[in-house]
Amino acid sequence: METAEIRNRWLRFFSERDHAVVPSASLLLDDPNLLFVNAGMVPFKPYFLGQEQPPSKRVTSVQKCVRTLDIEEVGKTTRHGTFFQMNGNFSFGDYFKERAIELAWELVTKPQSEGGYGFPESKLLATVYQDDDEAYGLWKRIAGLPENRIVRLGKKENFWSMGVPGPGGPCSEILIDRGPEYGAEGDVEGAGDRYLEFWNLVFMEFDLSAVRSKDDFDIAGDLPAKSIDTGMGLERVAFLLQGVDNLYEIDEVRPVLDRAADLAGKQYGADHADDVRLRVVADHIRSALMIIGDGVTPGNEGRGYVLRRVLRRAVRSMRLLGVEDPTFPELFAVSKDMMKASYPELETDWARISAIAYAEEEAFRQTLRAGTQIFDMAAIAIKAAGGTQLSGTDAFKLHDTFGFPIDLTLEMASEAGIDVDQQEFRRLMAEQRDRAKADAKAKKTGHLDLSAYRDLAAASGATTFTGYTEVVSEGTVRGLLVDGELASSAHEGNDVELVLDRTPFYAEGGGQLGDHGRITLDNGAVVEVLDVQAPLPGFTVHRARVLSGEVAIGASADASVDLDRRLAISRAHTATHMVHKAFREALGETATQMGSENSPGRLRFDFPNAAAVPPSVLADVEARVNAVLLDDLDVTAEIMSPDQARATGAMALFGEKYGERVRVVSVGDWARELCGGTHTNRTGQLGVVKLLGEASIGAGIRRVEALVGTDAYRFLAREHHLVAQLTEALKVRPEELPERVDGILTRLKDAERELDKLRSGRLLESAPALAAAARDFSGTAVVVSQIPDGTTADDLRALALDIRGRLPVDRAGAVALATVPVDKPIVVVAVNDVARNRGIKAGALVRVAAQALGGGGGGKDDVAQGGGTDPNAVLAALAAVEAAVTAVGIG
Ligand code: SER
């Protein structure tokens, strides 16, 4: 049975039994504790907790999920996938254990010809939580399972939680016995593949406040109503019903595996290690496709890092399979074709998704090339020095700078016949992790532990945002944190996080910075707002300092936004929409915004593009935007359904969360985007937009920065002033400036060259006199001299050689010259053949001199150079050379 059919049967079965069908939520649901949705129930958490009303008391869904905790297991077992789909049926205070078991048993065992999955009853088992006698009895009665096929298990297996605070409860799983070829009979708990769990029924009863591990958690209390959450692994059922061995071979995944095998010229099934790599590729390509599809871009933290890791593991697996050329264009296209039936947005969004994937592959391939060179050089150096081990520091550098996974380094080391100091590597990694943790704590959205905000949100309720139409609003203080702790009041000088029931302050989001301003309380207390964040959706926290008076919960407040700053930010935000639109016109649909920042008078805008954007395109975009400013278009915002928004052609930015009603911001009829930010009323209010240029910010992503309004004007005025100063100084017209400056630079260079020549010539003129002044030390003719400051090392050397050439060839001769080129002294020594044969060596003499100068040096026996730090020791250094020559002569 095809995966799509398994999914259809599921939805049909439950919708015929009064369940409302809910589409899959984005993988990026707004739960601050989860990087990705990892179970079908996640979008329904507020319904279980009684925080929101469900659309219906019974719902069903097929939810996209990502779990990367077991990423190392992918490909090695039959059932570990980083992306999977979970079929679920849910009851919020409606049916409970009995009906849940009835429904599950009916669908699982109903013959395929009647719309069920047709699993043979004799092969099925159920597990229940150890003391859940009720569930035990129900499996006996409803399913008629014999006692030896109902297994009681402990918390670890049969008590389900989200892994983070939230709803949970005892659960009961349905397993299939795959037969003796998959392992020993009766080993239900074991890691083997014989008993495969494919459907989990959770009897949601409790609200968990802390989850330390699967069997160690705190129960805060009962849920408002007993509820049901079930999850059936779509991929697992698919591989069972498709008669294949594992999830990598099901219809939605196998074609990618086959294409990877083709590209590598491998036969799947011929070699275990290669099979694992092919499965990793198939799994990771699909996960990456789905993750990018939902708006994530590769990065170095959070979701972006997970994505990058998955993409790089895929590149690396292909490399281990012997393919060094790019493969993503082939593999992603195959995966998209397999998934688009269930997720049509993959097709409509293909330009963006593929651009991001291909850019990351290209970037990582370059990284591999650069890192491999570094590794090869290190390996050569180690071997040359007779060593056998790559240091932990080098391995760490390869990891940190070049993104080399340690296993790659280990493998390359073993190919090169050396090993790696893994202990030191791990120590450095741990050190870095600690640093990163400390950094994260210090960041402004800090409070890694969001529990304080959850408590605050529970105490104060959601915030009404009035800031689209007002910049001053009356409200009431609903919540207060002082030093991250709930508080009922705060005093002058306290740094607080303050919650109002209504606020005109915009919380940072959608690329727009939070507002600044003041909150004045009815008792006269004044609070200065320094930043505004929404740590939980719809919940605004003002980070502020109490300037005077006392702030208490329940006080009435006048919240007043710093208007000039807000207007400057709004101008930047409207300009971002316009720049976005103009880039899409100039470069095509792929130039879709990936990130932006709107700050007062300034914007930053990131989009995928393989190469630098030529200056002519930047100029066109800037001209286009400024032309639209003159049209003075209206900028309007409307609330509508997502379908209506699509019909108006509004651009949705992935990665942003949109609810059942969305806000569409239009710049005339020209640019339309889903956006929650604040804007100007008309484009004319922007004044002028000046692009400052563009640059790469990694992996095929470009960043443009621009100034808007007064800031743009000031920038242009400053540049104009600079040009005016230059034209005045150089006495030319502005357009003649570049040529004039070029001419000046060329003449300057020529003059410097000439000057150098003269200086060297003049210096060499002193050679005959210096040679004639040679003195005898133990039979060696010695010239020592302090040469005037400012002589270069090259000139000093030339002079030493010239003098040496003038000394008699039939007797020992040595020349030692010292000077101070800039601020540190240098010394050059040259000796002739006779001196060398007597044991007077230039290298040794330089060492003696350099020591006196407070430094070091060396070189060949006939000429050598050194230097030091003490410019006052030049004479002493030269005297030391004379003494050394004398000593050798006597010795
Ligand atoms: N939440 C449970 C699970 O993820 C059942 O949906 O297994």
Side-chain angles (χ1 to χ4, degrees):
M1 195 184 296
E2 286 184 355
T3 306
E5 177 59 17
I6 300 172
R7 168 197 177 96
N8 289 341
R9 283 184 185 216
W10 176 277
L11 294 175
R12 202 178 316 126
F13 179 86
F14 283 102
S15 88
E16 280 167 9
R17 284 157 187 78
D18 297 332
H19 290 67
V21 176
V22 174
S24 173
S26 159
L27 283 167
L28 321 180
L29 213 60
D30 222 352
D31 188 316
N33 284 315
L34 290 175
L35 280 182
F36 293 105
V37 169
N38 63 358
M41 56 72 64
V42 171
F44 306 129
K45 192 171 123 181
Y47 306 150
F48 288 113
L49 295 173
Q51 294 167 337
E52 284 174 33
Q53 280 302 313
S56 155
K57 286 192 147 202
R58 301 172 173 203
V59 305
T60 182
S61 68
V62 176
Q63 172 65 43
K64 300 181 263 190
C65 298
V66 165
R67 286 187 196 173
T68 53
L69 205 60
D70 294 324
I71 195 167
E72 307 289 340
E73 295 300 315
V74 170
K76 297 180 188 157
T77 73
T78 56
R79 57 186 192 284
H80 279 102
T82 50
F83 171 84
F84 60 95
Q85 298 154 90
M86 197 181 274
N87 295 10
N89 59 293
F90 307 89
S91 141
F92 310 112
D94 190 50
Y95 60 81
F96 199 47
K97 289 186 194 179
E98 180 174 358
R99 185 69 185 137
I101 292 175
E102 273 172 14
L103 287 168
W105 190 253
E106 185 187 345
L107 177 56
V108 166
T109 57
K110 194 196 270 283
Q112 294 192 359
S113 56
E114 295 170 29
Y117 295 142
F119 282 102
E121 293 188 20
S122 61
K123 294 251 165 64
L124 297 175
L125 294 79
T127 63
V128 298
Y129 182 53
Q130 53 204 11
D131 51 14
D132 192 351
D133 297 333
E134 186 190 355
Y136 193 95
L138 288 169
W139 281 115
K140 242 162 97 173
R141 179 165 66 73
I142 296 167
L145 284 179
E147 297 203 344
N148 66 351
R149 284 200 276 131
I150 311 175
V151 185
R152 290 178 190 266
L153 295 175
K155 279 189 189 153
K156 224 167 154 179
E157 294 292 337
N158 277 48
F159 194 105
W160 195 83
S161 79
M162 294 178 71
V164 295
C171 62
S172 182
E173 299 182 332
I174 308 178
L175 286 65
I176 186 157
D177 178 357
R178 301 177 78 195
E181 63 273 31
Y182 287 95
E185 182 155 0
D187 184 21
V188 174
E189 264 180 290
D193 281 339
R194 172 155 180 173
Y195 298 96
L196 186 80
E197 179 260 313
F198 62 90
W199 193 345
N200 185 15
L201 316 180
V202 185
F203 310 129
M204 290 289 198
E205 285 185 62
F206 303 113
D207 182 5
L208 309 185
S209 55
V211 181
R212 290 172 291 275
S213 71
K214 282 192 170 172
D215 50 2
D216 181 15
F217 43 81
D218 295 336
I219 292 182
D222 291 342
L223 292 179
K226 291 189 174 177
S227 297
I228 288 294
D229 150 33
T230 90
M232 187 189 83
L234 180 55
E235 283 75 6
R236 287 192 186 186
V237 171
F239 80 73
L240 291 170
L241 294 185
Q242 290 174 14
V244 295
D245 213 36
N246 55 57
L247 70 85
Y248 318 102
E249 294 174 22
I250 67 169
D251 55 345
E252 280 187 349
V253 185
R254 176 73 192 238
V256 182
L257 191 155
D258 287 339
R259 182 61 58 91
D262 275 357
L263 291 171
K266 303 274 183 189
Q267 187 76 41
Y268 182 58
D271 174 89
H272 178 68
D274 282 347
D275 288 353
V276 171
R277 288 166 189 150
L278 289 168
R279 292 185 206 132
V280 167
V281 171
D283 172 85
H284 287 12
I285 294 287
R286 187 167 75 135
S287 299
L289 171 76
M290 301 305 294
I291 294 174
I292 300 174
D294 274 354
V296 181
T297 50
N300 289 329
E301 46 191 282
R303 292 168 177 148
Y305 180 70
V306 172
L307 171 61
R308 170 159 287 165
R309 183 150 180 240
V310 167
L311 287 167
R312 291 187 165 193
R313 279 173 54 96
V315 174
R316 157 139 178 71
S317 298
M318 286 308 291
R319 189 175 176 275
L320 289 174
L321 286 163
V323 188
E324 303 218 340
D325 291 336
T327 59
F328 281 11
E330 298 263 345
L331 300 175
F332 268 81
V334 175
S335 190
K336 182 254 300 175
D337 287 341
M338 300 324 298
M339 298 303 290
K340 70 183 179 195
S342 298
Y343 306 98
E345 64 276 14
L346 295 172
E347 185 78 271
T348 37
D349 245 8
W350 179 236
R352 177 185 63 86
I353 296 172
S354 54
I356 292 171
Y358 303 167
E360 180 70 5
E361 176 177 46
E362 202 38 53
F364 189 49
R365 291 180 62 247
Q366 276 171 22
T367 291
L368 283 173
R369 262 198 299 275
T372 305
Q373 266 171 16
I374 301 281
F375 175 88
D376 289 346
M377 266 151 59
I380 289 168
I382 290 163
K383 286 191 192 156
T388 58
Q389 193 177 55
L390 183 77
S391 71
T393 318
D394 281 345
F396 178 74
K397 192 171 133 204
L398 282 168
H399 175 274
D400 202 42
T401 317
F402 296 99
F404 263 46
I406 181 70
D407 60 342
L408 177 60
T409 307
L410 288 175
E411 197 178 279
M412 286 171 45
S414 108
E415 276 164 20
I418 53 180
D419 61 12
V420 178
D421 185 348
Q422 289 191 62
Q423 203 178 344
E424 176 66 3
F425 171 78
R426 274 194 296 271
R427 196 188 64 72
L428 292 167
M429 286 293 286
E431 216 175 81
Q432 190 196 43
R433 259 197 303 279
D434 291 346
R435 267 200 310 276
K437 266 194 206 150
D439 284 357
K441 261 209 180 107
K443 274 199 188 139
K444 65 176 175 185
T445 44
H447 291 293
L448 272 186
D449 174 9
L450 282 155
S451 53
Y453 291 121
R454 260 193 304 279
D455 294 346
L456 188 60
S460 25
T463 318
T464 305
F465 177 61
T466 59
Y468 289 135
T469 49
E470 298 176 5
V471 285
V472 182
S473 298
E474 281 175 25
T476 307
V477 178
R478 288 280 188 233
L480 207 53
L481 291 182
V482 179
D483 294 333
E485 302 279 343
L486 281 182
S488 55
S489 65
H491 311 278
E492 183 174 328
N494 281 159
D495 286 325
V496 297
E497 291 167 65
L498 186 150
V499 182
L500 299 172
D501 57 347
R502 315 169 68 238
T503 183
F505 281 81
Y506 182 83
E508 179 169 344
Q512 179 173 336
L513 293 188
D515 280 328
H516 290 180
R518 285 197 169 200
I519 299 174
T520 312
L521 280 88
D522 50 3
N523 65 2
V526 179
V527 177
E528 181 170 17
V529 178
L530 304 166
D531 186 23
V532 184
Q533 296 285 325
L536 303 172
F539 177 64
T540 301
V541 175
H542 307 80
R543 293 168 199 254
R545 169 162 298 165
V546 183
L547 294 184
S548 66
E550 178 171 331
V551 180
I553 304 267
S556 304
D558 268 336
S560 166
V561 171
D562 174 342
L563 185 58
D564 285 345
R565 186 169 179 280
R566 157 71 83 80
L567 287 175
I569 293 179
S570 298
R571 283 196 288 267
H573 203 154
T574 303
T576 297
H577 285 213
M578 298 178 71
V579 169
H580 186 187
K581 176 70 185 183
F583 266 113
R584 284 168 63 87
E585 282 181 352
L587 296 173
E589 301 289 291
T590 49
T592 299
Q593 176 177 328
M594 292 170 61
S596 69
E597 184 178 282
N598 302 299
S599 49
R602 193 178 186 102
L603 68 93
R604 210 171 72 194
F605 171 76
D606 303 338
F607 59 98
N609 207 51
V613 181
S616 62
V617 173
L618 288 178
D620 288 349
V621 165
E622 187 179 276
R624 174 79 171 126
V625 169
N626 282 287
V628 179
L629 298 191
L630 293 185
D631 293 341
D632 201 17
L633 301 179
D634 280 335
V635 183
T636 52
E638 276 176 284
I639 308 287
M640 55 182 84
S641 73
D643 284 343
Q644 283 169 310
R646 254 188 296 278
T648 67
M651 291 231 2
L653 294 187
F654 281 80
E656 301 286 330
K657 289 122 323 228
Y658 302 114
E660 280 171 20
R661 310 291 294 165
V662 293
R663 186 165 178 267
V664 175
V665 171
S666 307
V667 178
D669 279 331
W670 185 52
R672 231 176 228 123
E673 273 185 36
L674 268 61
C675 174
T678 65
H679 290 268
T680 58
N681 295 326
R682 291 195 318 282
T683 58
Q685 291 168 332
L686 268 55
V688 54
V689 174
K690 175 74 200 144
L691 297 193
L692 295 180
E694 66 95 56
S696 163
I697 54 161
I701 301 171
R702 315 299 302 183
R703 168 168 292 174
V704 176
E705 300 198 47
L707 297 172
V708 187
T710 324
D711 294 82
Y713 158 73
R714 279 204 205 105
F715 173 84
L716 293 171
R718 202 170 50 238
E719 301 262 297
H720 176 76
H721 181 62
L722 276 174
V723 171
Q725 281 179 312
L726 290 174
T727 50
E728 172 65 29
L730 298 175
K731 305 274 179 274
V732 290
R733 290 194 307 273
E735 53 277 19
E736 292 165 353
L737 267 177
E739 204 187 323
R740 171 58 65 94
V741 171
D742 245 12
I744 294 175
L745 286 178
T746 310
R747 268 163 46 209
L748 192 63
K749 252 188 237 128
D750 290 349
E752 278 172 351
R753 248 197 310 272
E754 194 59 25
L755 207 59
D756 284 349
K757 243 190 341 230
L758 287 174
R759 204 183 287 127
S760 315
R762 173 99 46 80
L763 192 66
L764 287 180
E765 280 169 16
S766 64
L770 285 168
R775 288 187 297 148
D776 187 277
F777 288 89
S778 307
T780 302
V782 177
V783 175
V784 299
S785 178
Q786 176 167 15
I787 305 301
D789 289 359
T791 305
T792 65
D794 282 348
D795 286 349
L796 193 70
R797 198 180 181 88
L799 179 61
L801 294 178
D802 191 308
I803 297 172
R804 183 182 69 179
R806 292 171 191 274
L807 296 178
V809 286
D810 52 353
R811 54 179 294 223
V815 183
L817 306 179
T819 188
V820 184
V822 187
D823 51 0
K824 290 193 183 121
I826 57 169
V827 58
V828 170
V829 175
V831 304
N832 68 8
D833 289 346
V834 182
R836 225 174 41 227
N837 292 337
R838 287 182 64 186
I840 298 171
K841 309 228 161 121
L845 294 178
V846 153
R847 256 191 300 283
V848 169
Q851 211 166 4
L853 295 171
K860 295 214 215 88
D861 289 351
D862 62 340
V863 8
Q865 180 181 329
T869 50
D870 181 2
N872 298 319
V874 167
L875 290 176
L878 293 173
V881 171
E882 288 174 348
V885 173
T886 311
V888 176
I890 294 167

